[in-house]
Amino acid sequence: MGKKFTALCASALSVVMLLSGCGGDKRMSAETDGDKSLNDKVVATIGKTEITQADYNFIYKLVYDNMSQYSSYYGDDWENMEIEDGKTMGDYMKENTEAQIKQMAAAVALAEDNGIKADSTAVKDAVTKNKNNLVEQNYKGTDGYKAYLEEARTTDKAFDRYLEIVEIYDRLYKELTKTDGKASIDNDKLKKDFLKEYADKWRVQHILIGTKAQTDSSGNETKPAKTDDEAKKIAEEVIAKLDAGADFDDLIEEYNEDPGISKGKFYVFGTGEMVPEFEEASKNLEIGSYTKEPVKTDYGYHIIKRYVIDDTIDEFKDYKKQKLQEKVMNLVDKKLKKMKPVKFESKTIDKYLDEWSKARKKKAEAAQKNADAQQSAAPAEDSAQQTQDTAQDAVQADEKQNQ
């Protein structure tokens, strides 16, 4: 049999996001019969790499957790919601899982071509260190980690392979993007391309004095609405302080009511991305200047300051990282095209995913039934308590009368 590994979700190229919900522990118990079945059953082959059911399940669970946010918009049956041309969310999750597995299998092969070996001491040491840290940070110990593996229908062995791929990809990325690497980019050209792409964008901070009531995440009012005159007066007070030499960042901390802006944070936007009044005022400002009159929108009054767009800002760093990622993934895709065979056992996978979906629904229904039962019991308990209180009041009244 060829090598087995846990494929890494494409979004896991940003390792932090995926590791936020996963952890491991070298103190895990020996492989169970259930684990052995998951670890031995091969459901896909990409070149010389074999993907086990445990590997597949691990990646599918990552995709599922990322997509499950849609349940709050589309209800419990969100997996069967049609998104395009008869394709459901469930279909999309399966396609997405398989695409990412293929891509990462190719990354492993490309890493080997560049001298990065999974069985190297450096990779093994990094995996052990990361695993022991993650279990404590994310699952508060072994019991929580085991519960996650059970829910994901995957295994400790599969997660070890996952961490291995994280480490391998990180080393591959560094190798390919170094100064003379195969995915390196000329920095001067990158700056030129960035400035050209951002030529019609604006970078600003602003202080909002709102006219709408402020609420918390539960919808509870935390700050009452201000009248138009009240808001405008405060905005004019802010401008007066700026004219007197006050620091814009300091005034953001003191006055701003827009949660999207804080000290050191900026909005970078292009045409049509902000309300017209805000956009117009921003584009008419010189670099480093601020609006001398409050800018009124439906949100309230704004004091806006414009800043330079150059290669020192965070957006350039993100732009550079994106371009490097694209070059690396182009090399990975080229490698994938050369790999044969590329085969998934669709019937086996579909059967397992269907069973898994039914199990999730059954668990959710049981939880809902239990919640309903508790809710129904609550009024009865309240009624019994009221009866008991009434009886006690009557006894106390009789005692008083007898006295």
Side-chain angles (χ1 to χ4, degrees):
M1 293 175 66
K3 286 184 306 178
K4 300 175 183 177
F5 84 108
T6 296
L8 181 63
C9 187
S11 55
L13 303 183
S14 173
V15 175
V16 174
M17 185 185 82
L18 288 187
L19 293 187
S20 64
C22 307
D25 191 341
K26 66 181 181 182
R27 298 165 294 177
M28 289 296 294
S29 59
E31 183 182 57
T32 65
D33 289 341
D35 287 349
K36 182 172 176 54
S37 175
L38 291 171
N39 287 331
D40 287 349
K41 185 185 292 182
V42 175
V43 297
T45 305
I46 318 294
K48 296 179 180 179
T49 301
E50 292 178 334
I51 312 300
T52 68
Q53 185 75 66
D55 296 332
Y56 186 98
N57 290 357
F58 187 88
I59 301 306
Y60 184 86
K61 182 64 164 61
L62 293 174
V63 175
Y64 178 89
D65 287 346
N66 188 45
M67 298 296 293
S68 62
Q69 60 184 302
Y70 289 101
S71 63
S72 60
Y73 299 99
Y74 303 114
D76 294 338
D77 199 37
W78 65 274
E79 293 177 58
N80 295 315
M81 185 189 74
E82 185 175 326
I83 51 177
E84 61 176 354
D85 301 327
K87 185 184 295 184
T88 65
M89 280 282 198
D91 296 330
Y92 172 81
M93 288 190 290
K94 181 186 172 186
E95 288 182 8
N96 193 254
T97 299
E98 294 183 2
Q100 291 165 10
I101 284 174
K102 289 188 290 187
Q103 197 171 57
M104 294 316 298
V108 170
L110 185 61
E112 289 186 349
D113 292 346
N114 284 271
I116 301 167
K117 305 295 183 182
D119 59 357
S120 69
T121 301
V123 170
K124 287 182 177 180
D125 288 347
V127 167
T128 299
K129 181 180 178 180
N130 290 337
K131 187 176 184 183
N132 292 332
N133 289 337
L134 287 167
V135 70
E136 300 302 333
Q137 294 173 6
N138 293 286
Y139 290 109
K140 311 305 179 188
T142 303
D143 290 343
Y145 173 60
K146 285 182 177 180
Y148 176 80
L149 294 180
E150 183 177 350
E151 180 187 0
R153 296 194 173 194
T154 190
T155 65
D156 183 54
K157 185 176 181 180
F159 187 65
D160 280 349
R161 296 182 187 131
Y162 165 76
L163 289 180
E164 184 180 281
I165 297 301
V166 171
E167 185 63 26
I168 288 171
Y169 182 81
D170 184 57
R171 290 169 183 268
L172 174 65
Y173 179 85
K174 290 175 181 177
E175 173 65 24
L176 295 178
T177 59
K178 65 185 182 182
T179 303
D180 58 345
K182 297 173 184 176
S184 62
I185 298 177
D186 178 79
N187 215 48
D188 290 336
K189 182 179 185 306
L190 195 68
K191 291 177 186 178
K192 184 178 179 181
D193 291 343
F194 171 76
L195 293 176
K196 182 179 179 180
E197 190 169 321
Y198 276 69
D200 296 324
K201 294 182 183 292
W202 302 275
R203 178 171 175 256
V204 304
Q205 285 183 310
H206 82 125
I207 298 168
L208 168 66
I209 310 300
T211 52
K212 300 179 184 294
Q214 295 183 45
T215 59
D216 58 23
S217 58
S218 300
N220 301 313
E221 186 175 299
T222 57
K223 204 170 186 179
K226 289 184 282 292
T227 66
D228 191 276
D229 288 342
E230 288 172 338
K232 185 176 182 182
K233 184 178 179 181
I234 296 172
E236 289 171 341
E237 176 185 309
V238 172
I239 292 173
K241 288 187 176 183
L242 287 170
D243 290 341
D247 180 74
F248 203 91
D249 265 334
D250 290 342
L251 294 179
I252 285 177
E253 288 191 320
E254 183 177 354
Y255 288 97
N256 178 52
E257 296 175 11
D258 176 6
I261 284 288
S262 58
K263 187 173 183 177
K265 300 295 182 182
F266 301 84
Y267 283 141
V268 178
F269 62 95
T271 302
E273 295 177 27
M274 293 289 188
V275 293
E277 303 92 338
F278 192 98
E279 178 185 318
E280 190 65 24
S282 297
K283 69 168 65 173
N284 288 332
L285 285 171
E286 296 292 329
I287 302 297
S289 64
Y290 56 87
T291 50
K292 296 297 184 178
E293 296 290 335
V295 178
K296 184 178 181 181
T297 71
D298 289 341
Y299 298 98
Y301 285 90
H302 309 256
I303 304 92
I304 306 168
K305 183 175 180 178
R306 186 175 174 186
Y307 294 83
V308 67
I309 292 179
D310 59 20
D311 62 340
T312 66
I313 66 175
D314 288 341
E315 283 72 18
F316 176 71
K317 296 174 185 175
D318 293 340
Y319 181 84
K320 182 176 182 178
K321 185 176 180 180
Q322 176 193 338
K323 295 302 179 183
L324 288 171
Q325 287 279 21
E326 288 174 0
K327 290 200 74 172
V328 170
M329 294 316 298
N330 283 338
L331 293 173
V332 170
D333 289 338
K334 287 180 181 179
K335 182 65 180 179
L336 178 59
K337 290 176 182 178
K338 298 176 181 178
M339 296 175 72
K340 305 293 180 184
V342 176
K343 181 182 178 183
F344 286 85
E345 302 294 339
S346 295
K347 289 184 179 180
T348 301
I349 291 170
D350 288 345
K351 181 181 178 182
Y352 198 88
L353 292 181
D354 184 57
E355 291 173 355
W356 196 0
S357 178
K358 288 177 180 177
R360 285 196 301 269
K361 288 180 181 178
K362 187 175 180 180
K363 183 178 179 181
E365 288 170 359
Q368 185 60 54
K369 187 175 181 180
N370 184 52
D372 292 343
Q374 290 181 346
Q375 190 172 4
S376 298
E381 291 174 1
D382 291 342
S383 177
Q385 184 63 49
Q386 286 178 347
T387 301
Q388 184 178 349
D389 292 344
T390 302
Q392 288 177 346
D393 290 342
V395 170
Q396 291 173 356
D398 286 343
E399 289 176 347
K400 264 190 176 180
Q401 191 171 6
N402 292 333
Q403 289 174 358

